[in-house]
Amino acid sequence: DGYDVMGFPLAKPYLRAQMEVDMKRISEGTRAKADVIRDCLVTMQRVFIESTRRTGCIDDAVARHFERAGTGADSVLLQANFGSCGLCNRPLELRQDGEARMVCCQACRLSLPVPNKGTVAVRDPLHQCPICRFQALSVTTEQEKHYDLCPRCYSEM
């Protein structure tokens, strides 16, 4: 759905069919291998650049078929106002959906996984991830080890 909206019918076998025709032409000697590779790379690069620029189309297409993590009937609000969203600066929620814990921004429709075990808390509001500027979280493991974590990068800081 998302790629179709962007004008790339990737679910259809057009690109593969064209590549197969070109490979047959290579074997027949009517096309050069380098030309086929170049044309294929140009096409794929165009698709890649446009699809990464318009990832929202894919997000919207997936959202039509699946509910967003943290919004289902089984989702439990563990803590409201759990820091602020690094995209829109609105409050995040800490939610549990089955075994998975996540921070969710209802305004951005964003769900980010956090560790399922241990304690997760908001770190100093001014402490942000140096990569994406999201507010850092403090995690305490069951073995009482502490580390800071970026929920967006899901990396230790």
Side-chain angles (χ1 to χ4, degrees), residues 46-142:
R46 182 176 55 85
V47 169
F48 175 77
I49 289 169
E50 186 64 17
S51 62
T52 54
R53 190 178 68 77
R54 298 179 61 196
T55 56
C57 293
I58 296 170
D59 292 343
D60 292 342
V62 169
R64 285 193 294 273
H65 300 283
F66 299 99
E67 64 184 25
R68 185 172 49 91
T71 62
D74 295 337
S75 174
V76 176
L77 176 65
L78 300 176
Q79 184 178 338
N81 297 315
F82 193 74
S84 59
C85 176
L87 298 177
C88 71
N89 210 31
R90 293 201 174 122
L92 291 172
E93 299 173 341
L94 179 63
R95 300 189 77 82
Q96 180 106 22
D97 195 349
E99 293 294 315
R101 282 194 301 188
M102 63 211 68
V103 290
C104 301
C105 176
Q106 299 302 328
C108 292
R109 298 179 4 179
L110 178 73
S111 295
L112 302 169
V114 295
N116 293 328
K117 300 200 186 246
T119 304
V120 180
V122 178
R123 183 124 170 12
D124 174 359
L126 299 177
H127 190 80
Q128 297 178 331
C129 173
I131 298 168
C132 71
R133 311 309 300 162
F134 253 74
Q135 187 172 356
L137 301 178
S138 178
V139 179
T140 304
T141 67
E142 293 171 328

Side-chain angles (χ1 to χ4, degrees), residues 2-16 46-47:
Y3 289 111
D4 289 338
V5 168
M6 288 185 238
F8 302 123
L10 295 181
K12 313 279 189 290
Y14 304 126
L15 293 173
R16 191 187 79 229
R46 182 176 55 85
V47 169

Side-chain angles (χ1 to χ4, degrees), residues 137-152:
L137 301 178
S138 178
V139 179
T140 304
T141 67
E142 293 171 328
Q143 293 78 26
E144 298 298 320
K145 294 183 180 178
H146 303 279
Y147 63 94
D148 292 334
L149 173 87
C150 172
R152 185 151 190 226

